[in-house]
Amino acid sequence: MATTNDLKNGMVLAMDNGLWQVLEFQHVKPGKGPAFVRTKLKNVISNKIIDKTFNAGTKVETATVDRSDYQYLYHDGTDYIFMDEKTYEQVPVSPEAMGDAAKWMLENGRAMIAQHEGQVLYVELPPSVELEITHTDPGLQGDRSTGGTKPATVETGAEIQVPLFLESGTRVKVDTRDGSYLGRVN
């Protein structure tokens, strides 16, 4: 148990028959009336985001979430198989728990897996990954580095928007949170 005064970003709360991760919180002390805490919470199973307001000092139940580094091994058709780098134990991760992270995972890639009582809650990737462009239409004469973008398919099969001058075979850095192009990799 903790109080709303102890909230931190990333903390997981057990409430309303589910687990909710704190994305944002703000302590508000209005000129009139009691203080309160405004939060933005994300359900770790369904990824639903809600806004919830608590009175300051209200007790909330925290959930114990173990986060560990894992190495991605392969996709067996239904689950994604990860290996704990310390114990070599293999952990299957369902597509639901994997979420959008599946679009950016390469074999032997690293990820952080959050578990609660042995159940995988979600997979957290590094902020950016380096991927190779496998297909994109050729740029036209006169294309500049500033200006338009075109679709490109990377080696994981995901599609991103890249500048017009990039060609197939180029390695690029991609933001795993929103799939945006961050730059070329030399």
Side-chain angles (χ1 to χ4, degrees), residues 106-171:
L106 282 175
E107 289 183 3
N108 299 323
R110 306 265 185 287
M112 176 141 341
I113 295 182
Q115 297 182 49
H116 173 68
E117 296 176 357
Q119 177 190 7
V120 175
L121 300 175
Y122 57 90
V123 175
E124 199 173 291
L125 294 180
S128 65
V129 291
E130 294 178 7
L131 300 169
E132 184 175 320
I133 296 175
T134 56
H135 173 74
T136 187
D137 294 328
L140 300 172
Q141 181 65 32
D143 286 345
R144 299 286 177 255
S145 61
T146 59
T149 61
K150 62 183 178 179
T153 305
V154 293
E155 58 190 308
T156 60
E159 193 169 281
I160 62 170
Q161 292 292 320
V162 297
L164 295 168
F165 63 87
L166 289 180
E167 299 173 357
S168 296
T170 306
R171 290 194 65 76

Side-chain angles (χ1 to χ4, degrees), residues 27 50 82 104 120 141 159 179 181:
H27 291 275
I50 63 167
F82 286 83
W104 314 116
V120 175
Q141 181 65 32
E159 193 169 281
Y181 165 81

Side-chain angles (χ1 to χ4, degrees), residues 1-4 6-25 39-48 52 54 59-67 112-117 119-124:
M1 291 295 271
T3 67
T4 54
D6 302 326
L7 291 181
K8 291 182 176 46
N9 289 343
M11 182 181 267
V12 178
L13 307 176
M15 56 181 233
D16 300 335
N17 297 325
L19 297 175
W20 298 83
Q21 182 177 20
V22 177
L23 298 178
E24 299 175 7
F25 68 96
T39 63
K40 185 176 279 190
L41 305 171
K42 179 175 103 174
N43 187 307
V44 295
I45 306 297
S46 68
N47 289 330
K48 178 181 175 185
K52 188 160 178 77
F54 298 95
K59 292 202 180 300
V60 289
E61 187 177 343
T62 58
T64 305
V65 175
D66 301 320
R67 292 180 174 93
M112 176 141 341
I113 295 182
Q115 297 182 49
H116 173 68
E117 296 176 357
Q119 177 190 7
V120 175
L121 300 175
Y122 57 90
V123 175
E124 199 173 291

